[in-house]
Amino acid sequence: MKGTRQARVILVHWKRFTGIELDVFSSLKNFCDSYPDYSYHTLSNYLSKKKQPFENDQIRIERKPVLTKLERPDLPTNLFWDIKYAAINWQQSYRIVIERVLTRGDEKDLGIIIAFYGKEKIIGTLKNEIGYLPELIIDKVCKYFRLTKNQLKCYTKTQSQQKHWI
């Protein structure tokens, strides 16, 4: 977008120091304040005009964009047919989103929620929050995330419910 500026960081690769190979600075100014041997104006001009890293026998300096977390996962709207898709609070409604993708989504959708929420969050939700999943989905989830059925709340909850004896 024209007129907007993406946040960037400064990556500094030290060629001669052992132990410290890479430093990250929030700005070129902060780097130059920490290492006064390097001129802010010289480096800034070099990095902005040449659009390539500055490099000498001691150091390599480059600007990199900051990756930000997505506001929402790019999931098909038909997974949420009964909910107003535009109004979903993706952070608060994580349990229902995870449950829907597991029961109605495909492999691609699963990859999307893993990238969005993280594997740990999904596994924690499966273990502690999701109260029901079909047996076939339980088997798939256990295989995919390398869990046992007894680790899942939906399985232990089903096992603890008394079945009708007839």
Side-chain angles (χ1 to χ4, degrees):
M1 283 184 250
K2 214 170 194 176
T4 61
R5 187 177 231 180
Q6 185 177 15
R8 298 177 297 183
V9 292
I10 302 299
L11 295 181
V12 179
H13 175 75
W14 299 99
K15 295 180 177 181
R16 292 188 176 179
F17 295 134
T18 54
I20 303 173
E21 292 182 16
L22 189 70
D23 270 336
V24 180
F25 291 86
S26 60
S27 71
L28 187 59
K29 181 87 170 109
N30 287 345
F31 168 73
C32 292
D33 287 347
S34 300
Y35 297 92
D37 290 347
Y38 294 95
S39 165
Y40 170 77
H41 295 292
T42 303
L43 288 174
S44 181
N45 285 336
Y46 185 91
L47 293 171
S48 61
K49 286 181 182 170
K50 297 208 177 198
K51 303 290 186 203
Q52 64 185 24
F54 169 82
E55 190 166 5
N56 62 23
D57 60 334
Q58 297 176 348
I59 198 168
R60 176 184 168 101
I61 302 171
E62 58 187 314
R63 285 183 170 140
K64 290 287 187 178
V66 174
L67 300 177
T68 57
K69 193 161 174 88
L70 298 172
E71 285 184 28
R72 66 172 187 83
D74 188 21
L75 293 168
T77 56
N78 65 338
L79 290 177
F80 306 96
W81 73 93
D82 59 338
I83 304 170
K84 189 173 181 182
Y85 189 82
I88 296 174
N89 181 324
W90 297 97
Q91 294 305 321
Q92 287 182 347
S93 303
Y94 66 91
R95 188 186 60 76
I96 189 71
V97 172
I98 293 169
E99 189 176 327
R100 286 288 172 88
V101 168
L102 292 174
T103 57
R104 301 186 187 280
D106 58 22
E107 287 280 328
K108 180 183 173 203
D109 301 331
L110 180 58
I112 290 170
I113 65 164
I114 289 172
F116 187 77
Y117 292 115
K119 222 173 205 177
E120 296 80 20
K121 175 97 169 167
I122 295 170
I123 290 171
T125 303
L126 284 164
K127 287 180 174 181
N128 304 311
E129 297 182 53
I130 295 178
Y132 174 78
L133 288 174
E135 188 66 34
L136 179 65
I137 302 301
I138 290 173
D139 292 337
K140 285 182 179 181
V141 162
C142 288
K143 185 176 179 181
Y144 188 88
F145 292 107
R146 298 180 185 190
L147 300 170
T148 64
K149 289 181 178 182
N150 288 329
Q151 290 177 289
L152 305 179
K153 179 179 179 177
C154 59
Y155 184 77
T156 56
K157 183 179 174 190
T158 303
Q159 295 302 307
S160 67
Q161 294 173 349
Q162 289 189 345
K163 305 281 189 234
H164 193 25
W165 58 274
I166 294 182

